[in-house]
Amino acid sequence: ILSGPAWSIRTFRPPWAPHGPTDTGRPPDPTRPRRQDDMRRWLLECGVELMIYPSPHRLSFEAGVPFVMAIHDLQHRLQPEFPEVSADGEWQRREYLFRNAARRATMLLADSEVGCEDILNCYGEFGAQRARICVLPFLPACSCDPAEAGLLRAHVARRYGLPQRYLFYPAQFWTHKNHSRVIEALGILKRSGGFQIPLVLTGSAEGPVRERAFAEMQALARHWGVLDQIHVLGLVPTAEMAGLYAGAVALVMPTFFGPTNIPVLEAWALDCPVLISDIRGIREQVADAALRVDPRSAIAIADGIHKLWTDTELRQELATRGRARVAHYTRDDYCRRLFDAIAAAKQRVRSAAQDAPGALHAAGDRQQSPLIPHQVGV
């Protein structure tokens, strides 16, 4: 990792717990952001000049301290038909979080240019600006080490009793992950061509939405006669994921959500060919380094699976393209972009402080507290 800026990075433990991003109870009103004055005072007393939130959290704007926050997707706005982003007050909770964060952030982090475009389209009217968005693409997990993948491949095969050849789909059992159409595609291949293709799944089925999606998947597997081809491993240790990718014939991921997806990068890093959805965002992420299919069509997914399962040259070509594509963006590149984003955010904070002394303090708390320079909280 590159040498970081000369800023102090510390872990703080407040004497109380901040309110979480999805508190239960009545959904908050997006037009009336709450305040956490106790957290703001505590952070300022600790000398925090800028907070960084790697994942969305309502504390970002409720604490009233300048912040950088990542927005990974806005699917509650783009595809509210999926219950995991809209049901039981989830739409309102997400809208409260993202609308107010987009309005008040010193800097936002988007995973891609498409993600940046989504932020501006959804929240430009509420104050989101291109100058306050940094595009910071994802990286594959650190555990995706090709040097260790071979040994892990044999280990996970023994531990989970995996077949010699299989497809792999690592995903929680959300509706948008589209497991059911993968099952239907396997059924089509079995009935039309006699192909019995094993599928290895990882992820959680806990919670009402995921339980329903998992039950639907199992019912379809029984209907199509492919239940014995499905290997559900549940949540597996991160260290074993590289072995599952390395042993797979292909990653099959016809998800409806983007803009980009990390499993694609992990598969590429481990020479695993990719079948993925041909939709906005993902299309730009993978270019010609994956086999793209219509996620709404089980027939299209079946056709893509058949090609990858039977065509060795195609698999090798996609693996080569994927390896080249993931190599274009390294951890050093990621660090440079992140440090640049933080530096730009800090400059905004200091410029605002010079223009309006005490601007770090929300209205109603005018007492000045000295800030320790170069202090960043995570």
Side-chain angles (χ1 to χ4, degrees):
I1 298 178
L2 294 173
S3 298
W7 307 327
S8 174
I9 300 178
R10 294 167 52 189
T11 299
F12 301 103
R13 292 190 179 276
W16 56 86
H19 302 311
T22 56
D23 286 350
T24 58
R26 184 177 181 179
D29 182 351
T31 67
R32 302 180 64 184
R34 301 169 182 171
R35 292 174 51 168
Q36 297 194 44
D37 292 337
D38 49 358
M39 283 298 299
R40 184 185 75 251
R41 283 191 292 270
W42 182 79
L43 289 169
L44 294 176
E45 287 170 2
C46 289
V48 174
E49 182 178 1
L50 180 71
M51 288 292 294
I52 302 174
Y53 296 87
S55 59
H57 202 293
R58 58 191 285 178
L59 177 64
S60 58
F61 55 87
E62 290 183 352
V65 174
F67 66 94
V68 176
M69 193 186 86
I71 294 183
H72 300 126
D73 71 73
L74 295 171
Q75 297 299 328
H76 75 294
R77 281 288 200 110
L78 303 175
Q79 301 188 80
E81 63 270 24
F82 289 99
E84 52 264 43
V85 296
S86 60
D88 302 321
E90 184 62 20
W91 192 97
Q92 289 83 357
R93 284 188 286 270
R94 287 175 179 246
E95 184 66 9
Y96 173 82
L97 172 57
F98 292 126
R99 184 189 300 185
N100 287 290
R103 173 182 288 167
R104 293 169 172 80
T106 308
M107 188 71 69
L108 294 170
L109 304 177
D111 66 345
S112 62
E113 290 294 341
V114 172
C116 175
E117 184 179 281
D118 287 343
I119 294 172
L120 294 174
N121 287 342
C122 292
Y123 297 116
E125 64 178 304
F126 297 106
Q129 301 172 4
R130 181 62 183 89
R132 293 192 290 113
I133 303 175
C134 172
V135 174
L136 185 68
F138 293 130
L139 288 170
C142 297
S143 58
C144 292
D145 184 354
E148 298 181 3
L151 293 176
L152 285 170
R153 175 179 178 175
H155 164 74
V156 297
R158 289 192 303 269
R159 176 173 180 178
Y160 297 109
L162 301 181
Q164 186 174 3
R165 302 183 80 216
Y166 60 86
L167 303 175
F168 183 41
Y169 192 2
Q172 310 284 25
F173 289 92
W174 297 116
T175 309
H176 74 266
K177 296 297 185 180
N178 210 15
H179 289 87
S180 293
R181 283 191 178 89
V182 179
I183 299 302
E184 187 176 351
L186 295 181
I188 291 171
L189 289 168
K190 183 175 183 178
R191 290 188 182 180
S192 63
F195 291 95
Q196 299 190 43
I197 301 176
L199 173 66
V200 173
L201 303 173
T202 60
S204 170
E206 294 184 359
V209 174
R210 285 182 287 190
E211 287 174 359
R212 287 194 297 271
F214 185 76
E216 179 185 347
M217 184 196 75
Q218 288 186 306
L220 275 173
R222 285 190 291 270
H223 170 76
W224 285 98
V226 297
L227 189 60
D228 60 340
Q229 297 169 216
I230 314 303
H231 301 256
V232 180
L233 309 187
L235 295 174
V236 302
T238 300
E240 294 182 344
M241 290 295 290
L244 292 169
Y245 281 111
V249 171
L251 169 71
V252 175
M253 190 175 184
T255 178
F256 285 103
F257 281 10
T260 64
N261 285 279
I262 294 175
V264 173
L265 307 175
E266 295 174 337
W268 284 345
L270 296 166
D271 289 335
C272 179
V274 173
L275 180 149
I276 193 74
S277 302
D278 187 14
I279 59 176
R280 176 178 169 273
I282 293 176
R283 192 178 299 125
E284 289 77 8
Q285 179 188 18
V286 304
D288 65 350
L291 185 60
R292 304 197 307 266
V293 300
D294 180 359
R296 297 169 181 80
S297 170
I299 294 176
I301 296 170
D303 182 58
I305 288 174
H306 179 264
K307 290 176 181 177
L308 285 175
W309 192 256
T310 60
D311 192 334
T312 302
E313 290 185 5
L314 175 61
R315 294 198 303 272
Q316 291 174 343
E317 179 65 24
L318 290 176
T320 299
R321 292 177 185 175
R323 190 186 321 119
R325 195 161 179 84
V326 77
H328 279 307
Y329 181 69
T330 68
R331 297 193 181 279
D332 283 355
D333 296 327
Y334 180 93
C335 290
R336 287 189 187 95
R337 288 199 185 202
L338 179 59
F339 292 159
D340 287 347
I342 295 173
K346 287 173 66 65
Q347 183 58 47
R348 285 181 174 274
V349 171
R350 288 169 178 162
S351 296
Q354 291 174 358
D355 294 340
L360 281 177
H361 300 267
D365 182 10
R366 299 299 182 185
Q367 183 179 358
Q368 288 276 4
S369 293
L371 291 174
I372 301 174
H374 311 304
Q375 193 70 56
V376 178
V378 180

